[in-house]
Amino acid sequence: MNTFFSIVVPVYNRPDEIRELLESLQKQDFQKDFEVVIVEDGSSQSSEEVVDRFRDGLNISYYFKENSGPGDSRNFGMQHAKGNYFIILDSDCILPKQYLSEVNKELTREFVHCFGGPDAADDSFTTIQKAINYVMTSFLTTGGIRGGKKGVGKFQPRSFNMGISKEAFERAGGFGRIHPGEDPDLTFRIWKAGFETRLLPEAFVYHKRRIDWNKFYIQVNKFGMVRPILNKWHPGTAKPTYWFPTLFMLGLVVAILLAFAGLGLPLILYMFYFLALFLDALIKSKSLIVALLSIFALMIQFTGYGIGFFKSTMLLNFSNKNPEELFPKLFFKKK
């Protein structure tokens, strides 16, 4: 397939972020033409002036639309794009200069209609950003499939760094209104349409994750609430491992209670796990502070996700209401 890339980026009140992303796109070593489609999702802080500065160096289009969420904005961008292969990026990503060359090389070697790439932490990131990035990508937590070299089972791309052919986009119907969770929902429909997905390990981005500890908790809590909804929509995609954060935190509480009762072995096993996590984070980040914060980040991740997953599972199984009635904040309204 002779690919022409359209890079689609929804942006909401983040002109500084989009500037950094466009700067990294301008520095790509890719020798072929590509276009950039910026979709302003009803922002009060416009990025149009920032985008205008890059028109001489990039083939770039800018659209402003009413706020309807990132999924609908990505659909809008792909519908207006000229390419036959779309690359979806979040506005808080920065690309290494070889990103597009790596994508093109992999698709030329073994074409796939949908791919995902890992995320990494740049040296300029704060210690909190680096700790959160570690727990979101480490194989010792729930997020390792995005940061590893091989996907376990079928790889589920994430929309901060995702590629999809125009054919697959049109057949699968694009992103839905749920958020977060719109990317695995689309992936499942891509599979049902007969297309494959693949991880491109060298097509990584630096993902800034514009979050503090409180925002991180809210984010992972929503991830936990969304997963049972996706299991309900797509029977057969549920995995026992989705229960891991919930059971991990319940087990930790039980282990602490047993330790007070004189049985310390379960808590010692947890301590070995935390030690392994700390050492792995220390080796990878080369920072004692990041390694220590990674343990705190893990606790937030597992607590937030675990509570959200358990709450959502119970409500979906013991209520007659549909997911949109139960969790209205997880859905953008139809426009």
Side-chain angles (χ1 to χ4, degrees), residues 96-117:
K97 66 178 182 179
Q98 74 279 7
Y99 175 84
L100 285 176
S101 296
E102 289 292 342
V103 171
N104 185 66
K105 181 176 71 175
E106 284 294 323
L107 294 182
T108 301
R109 182 182 65 84
E110 183 184 348
F111 184 81
V112 67
H113 281 274
C114 181
F115 75 82

Side-chain angles (χ1 to χ4, degrees), residues 119-139:
D119 53 338
D122 187 65
D123 290 339
S124 65
F125 287 10
T126 67
T127 53
I128 292 178
Q129 285 175 322
K130 290 177 181 178
I132 289 174
N133 181 269
Y134 172 78
V135 299
M136 293 292 283
T137 60
S138 172
F139 273 101

Side-chain angles (χ1 to χ4, degrees), residues 12-187:
Y12 181 72
N13 288 336
R14 301 289 173 174
D16 288 339
E17 282 183 354
I18 205 68
R19 176 185 55 79
E20 291 181 305
L21 173 56
L22 293 175
E23 285 175 351
S24 69
L25 280 167
Q26 205 168 36
K27 296 175 183 176
Q28 292 296 296
D29 62 12
F30 188 56
Q31 298 301 308
K32 297 182 180 180
D33 291 334
F34 64 92
E35 73 163 338
V36 181
V37 180
I38 304 298
V39 181
E40 190 91 61
D41 186 25
S43 302
S44 58
Q45 300 176 38
S46 173
S47 300
E48 186 172 13
E49 183 178 338
V50 174
V51 171
D52 286 342
R53 299 175 201 162
F54 292 87
R55 292 193 183 276
D56 290 340
L58 292 170
N59 176 9
I60 191 166
S61 301
Y62 172 86
Y63 297 95
F64 184 94
K65 53 176 281 298
E66 185 179 355
N67 178 255
S68 58
D72 187 59
S73 295
R74 297 182 191 113
N75 292 342
F76 181 94
M78 288 185 280
Q79 289 162 356
H80 288 77
K82 300 178 180 67
N84 58 5
Y85 207 103
F86 309 127
I87 295 177
I88 313 298
L89 300 171
D90 277 358
S91 63
D92 59 351
C93 289
I94 301 172
L95 307 186
K97 66 178 182 179
Q98 74 279 7
Y99 175 84
L100 285 176
S101 296
E102 289 292 342
V103 171
N104 185 66
K105 181 176 71 175
E106 284 294 323
L107 294 182
T108 301
R109 182 182 65 84
E110 183 184 348
F111 184 81
V112 67
H113 281 274
C114 181
F115 75 82
D119 53 338
D122 187 65
D123 290 339
S124 65
F125 287 10
T126 67
T127 53
I128 292 178
Q129 285 175 322
K130 290 177 181 178
I132 289 174
N133 181 269
Y134 172 78
V135 299
M136 293 292 283
T137 60
S138 172
F139 273 101
L140 293 177
T141 67
T142 61
I145 194 168
R146 278 186 287 183
K149 297 296 183 183
K150 294 182 180 179
V152 179
K154 281 189 170 185
F155 180 69
Q156 299 179 25
R158 294 294 186 265
S159 53
F160 66 83
N161 181 13
M162 178 182 188
I164 179 173
S165 70
K166 183 176 182 179
E167 180 183 356
F169 164 69
E170 291 176 343
R171 288 267 298 276
F175 291 96
R177 293 184 298 109
I178 193 170
H179 177 73
E182 70 273 21
D183 30 17
D185 174 51
L186 175 58
T187 297

